Amino acid sequence: MTAKKTTKVAVIGASGYAGEELVRLLLKHPSADLVAVTSRQSAGRKLSEVFPRFGHAAKAESLKFINPEAEEIGKLADFIFLALPHGVSAETGARLIRDGKRVIDLSADFRIRDPRTYAEFYGKEHPAPDLLKQAVYGLPELHRDQIRVAQLVACPGCYPTSILLPLLPLLRAKAIDPKRIMVASLSGVTGAGRKIEADYLFAECNESLRPYGVPKHRHLGEIEQELSAAVGEKIIVQFTPHLVPVSRGIISTIYADLNEAVDSAAIGKIFESAHGNEPFVRLLPEERLPDTKNVVDTNFIDVGWRLDPRTKRVIVMSAIDNLTKGTSGQAMQCFNLMCGDDETAGLL
Amino acid sequence: MTAKKTTKVAVIGASGYAGEELVRLLLKHPSADLVAVTSRQSAGRKLSEVFPRFGHAAKAESLKFINPEAEEIGKLADFIFLALPHGVSAETGARLIRDGKRVIDLSADFRIRDPRTYAEFYGKEHPAPDLLKQAVYGLPELHRDQIRVAQLVACPGCYPTSILLPLLPLLRAKAIDPKRIMVASLSGVTGAGRKIEADYLFAECNESLRPYGVPKHRHLGEIEQELSAAVGEKIIVQFTPHLVPVSRGIISTIYADLNEAVDSAAIGKIFESAHGNEPFVRLLPEERLPDTKNVVDTNFIDVGWRLDPRTKRVIVMSAIDNLTKGTSGQAMQCFNLMCGDDETAGLL
Amino acid sequence: MTAKKTTKVAVIGASGYAGEELVRLLLKHPSADLVAVTSRQSAGRKLSEVFPRFGHAAKAESLKFINPEAEEIGKLADFIFLALPHGVSAETGARLIRDGKRVIDLSADFRIRDPRTYAEFYGKEHPAPDLLKQAVYGLPELHRDQIRVAQLVACPGCYPTSILLPLLPLLRAKAIDPKRIMVASLSGVTGAGRKIEADYLFAECNESLRPYGVPKHRHLGEIEQELSAAVGEKIIVQFTPHLVPVSRGIISTIYADLNEAVDSAAIGKIFESAHGNEPFVRLLPEERLPDTKNVVDTNFIDVGWRLDPRTKRVIVMSAIDNLTKGTSGQAMQCFNLMCGDDETAGLL
Amino acid sequence: MTAKKTTKVAVIGASGYAGEELVRLLLKHPSADLVAVTSRQSAGRKLSEVFPRFGHAAKAESLKFINPEAEEIGKLADFIFLALPHGVSAETGARLIRDGKRVIDLSADFRIRDPRTYAEFYGKEHPAPDLLKQAVYGLPELHRDQIRVAQLVACPGCYPTSILLPLLPLLRAKAIDPKRIMVASLSGVTGAGRKIEADYLFAECNESLRPYGVPKHRHLGEIEQELSAAVGEKIIVQFTPHLVPVSRGIISTIYADLNEAVDSAAIGKIFESAHGNEPFVRLLPEERLPDTKNVVDTNFIDVGWRLDPRTKRVIVMSAIDNLTKGTSGQAMQCFNLMCGDDETAGLL
């Protein structure tokens, strides 16, 4: 029996929520070997000191945070997860990619293929436009084969994941009118990252419900890009996110006009055909609607739907954990594909 | 100086959340004299025993819950608030109305004018259809003059209040397409009433986000009735409520297609003209979006809006406290009108 | 009929949680006239802009935040509330007191009478030790008469209020052993102030329970000072605070060894005799224990107790709103006393 | 290579919170084979229907709830977990034990060795006193060897686990005075089980802090039994639990008088010697205090402590997840011991 092949990985920017979730998943992954974690403000501290919840793991005692610029990262690791803020990620990533590392970027920096769209949604020029072309959008259900062989994977945002997976099959099957899609999403507070700002203080979020980012949230860029690419025409989506007082979880409620002659059974078949064999998509039985508490701490997306005969619309509702299927779990799913592992390794 | 005239009031069904909020408001009202509270399961217990938070009020020590059928209610009180479950309310209400009492009903029993619509949304025949004609829908901003002289006022539900107040001005001004209105709402858990069911246990609601009542929530009946009446054509609304883990508060996010040549300034003028003098409607300045924490424990509705030039839609967002402007505060506002008091008495 | 005399007041440091709560109470106070609010970071902005919840009040539109050093404060106001951080408060306060203003300080700066105790608990020399002598500790139930005539009142902290009011009567009546008092307290997150630190982010506090400040929390200094003064001997208390995920509210659970021959009836009489006429102390009936939700947004303290025959101890439990009776409500109660108003004005 | 030996297990009473957590752990356990789940009210429904969060597991689709009395349980399973209410458990357990099954009971029914103590704390006679003698108290750190060979294991309650593990080493080392131990605990709402009662509704628990069960909570019986047995003298503990708004987690804060000459280093050595090799006890470094968010969803207990030189006491603080180390995780730990598996199997 041959020893299991392991991959040496580093997490750059491991002190945020996405980074912490990556570390949680990597510490129990069967073939990943976490060899470096970086954080500017935590450099020099042990992993277990910064994240006491990992205190039982031998590695949490032995690994110390280093600076993200440390040269040793390239020597230690073959595979890099970037969990850095937007903008910062592209610069660090560019260097590592040129050094031949395989990289999964959790920021938005490489998600947009067209530099003009990037500039439109992010308000500045892209720092490494040449790399945009080679980046693969890391939604395994959509780009599985390209992810397997990619050097650079740009992991989708949490809202896009919750919206693309339910919407794409309906669009491709031409079951709905692509012109009139509206989405209302609810997100837990970790969706904003570990930002130390007044808006995210406990007493400001607790017992508070608030829409934000209306009408043009940054994630719309990648949502519309992927939808448009799937159907070959420019799609514009109405999207309103809301901040709600849970730590983790997203609900996306999607409204679309049904095309003639599409009934509930047809919708069911479309979903079954698109996602029936997906390991992380759970299509809910007719009587059930999604609830984030069923997906929190998992990599699943739960998808339910109802037809409204009065309006001839379908309402599709999805639930994910914004830090798992919405960010770091999805990154691990991509990692598994890139390494030729079982896609679900370390994720069930 | 003459003594302030007081009105003797009873609250039937005072042990639920709406009843409790009514009692809170009545105990500090300048001209209401709370003379009876009823509750089947709490009969015989002091008000302060059932609601320790009112323990300081002399009345909370002296008043005991009585049975809702008690004959003395009619003798004690001239004015009745019904905070009973749907269906139960109509029967109790019918008797009191025939006895000449003025009644504000917080249930859905008298909100629907057409008994067929009632049967459609509530799944049974209306128990007192003759009274439907005389009932006034208790949204002061809409029916202020009728409320003043009504014997029977049917207080709107929490979702309808949060949706009608922002939508009606736009519809009346013909600023939006009445055919394509979509609403996503988020509600705190008291919106379900003090129902002792597994779904509303702390550990089932905490860290949970869930759509429900899709696609035809019961409140749609009254929403569509009032919208249709206002514009003289049948209006159908797409509506999806979500249960979120706060105790109090509703956000409604409304999407509507703008008619040609309506810009943001025009929307602002429409709202200003409709609600600029309303004591409980706060039109938010352009840079702000509503947040329930600004309205909780108050009778205000906060209304904000944004135009989306990409989709030619307006997104209107409102926030209320579901138990105050959404239920019991609105009932007090109606009470003030019916008694000829200052409309804001006891509510600021 | 003569016009009601009003007092012109300023709140220095009005953008924190204590300041916000003061503003809430002042806006509805019958005889206070809020003429100035200060905040370094919000200077120039309207009150309604910084605190949208006050948006309905005319004053919230007309008042703008000014800098705390602004000379006009002294000209505008006769009465000053200081809601500044510890250390900063003493300096600003000293100047205003010397200008003849009456001052209520909500910080810890003037609560400790002995400068050495201040240095012990706060780790530095007191910036205005001469003023310590004239400051009155602002617990009305304890120092009502001195507060009435004081120029400078030092409002107690939230933990001390929740501990002193239940403990003092038992100590004075010699019902318990002063040597062996232990306290465990639970506090909501606003107790820490509006501190923009990672520890107080929503996702760090939600679903988290944690002791802190063990074994020598800063509030112990004033707790022991007041207990010791009441019984004429040095008292040392064991105190452990815990941070729990509510916005507002404190529970203090106090354990004390009973002296011989003290039974439950005796304890009841002691509390009744001490607090029976206090407008803001509610002694709970025997079968009930305090619950913060009954006191939140009020100035009440609820006190319950149980004797343990197995250990011959009494367990006394109290509940307050840390921002009302624990801070700003208590300051208003002092203000009422200082102005000769009804002690409950604006607080019921 | 030989096939891994599996054990066929049933969970009786699987629809409560403890049962759900058992199912979660069993579904991922390497050698347990879940063959039956029972629930009176859910009989006939699939596991995935009652607990949608398990919807991905093949077994959650194939297993249906059966009635707890079903004869087939004995035929299907060799190993039984009882997650039934107190009182009910003993009767069901007695029958299965007599049938030769190995049983882990999560209720309180077999935790108390002396039937008189049972009657004192539970207010009725024990239904199967003969079985009390053979039951082993399922705290692995205390009774590891007896658990390995036991037929009947009585799993400790959540409070006892959080109190016994920190206290026992200090008592055995005679570092503290056994006469004067006081404990304040904070518990999340699942600690009460999935009880459908008004007290546990979201809006009654949210923004609420409340002591309860004062002064003689039922868990005291087993706490005092185990402490007394460990030191050979009758120990009485002062214990006050508090209900706080988190779903999962317990903090226990323990106060004890230090014996002469015991310093912080000595305490550290005592804990290290007792628990240094325990796989699920994490002794915190000096600067840190426990926080439930570090243990939620894990089987760890985090233990921290501080000495108070002013009072000569030690304050020991522990954190556990009440449903994992506090109930079902501990049961799995016992299961591993009973089956000769690695004690941590399925728990890391």
Side-chain angles (χ1 to χ4, degrees), chain A residues 215-232:
Chain A
K216 204 176 164 187
H217 186 277
R218 287 180 163 190
H219 281 175
L220 260 180
E222 53 182 291
I223 293 170
E224 295 177 352
Q225 164 183 287
E226 296 299 312
L227 293 178
S228 301
V231 295

Side-chain angles (χ1 to χ4, degrees), chain C residues 180 224 238 242 310-311, chain D residues 180 224 238 253 310-311:
Chain C
R180 307 202 48 93
E224 295 178 351
Q238 191 78 57
H242 300 77
R310 304 190 328 142
T311 61
Chain D
R180 305 202 52 92
E224 294 178 352
Q238 191 77 59
T253 295
R310 303 189 332 140
T311 61

Side-chain angles (χ1 to χ4, degrees), chain C residues 295-310:
Chain C
V295 297
V296 161
D297 284 330
T298 80
N299 201 47
F300 293 102
I301 177 169
D302 280 3
V303 180
W305 63 94
R306 292 273 165 87
L307 265 62
D308 188 345
R310 304 190 328 142

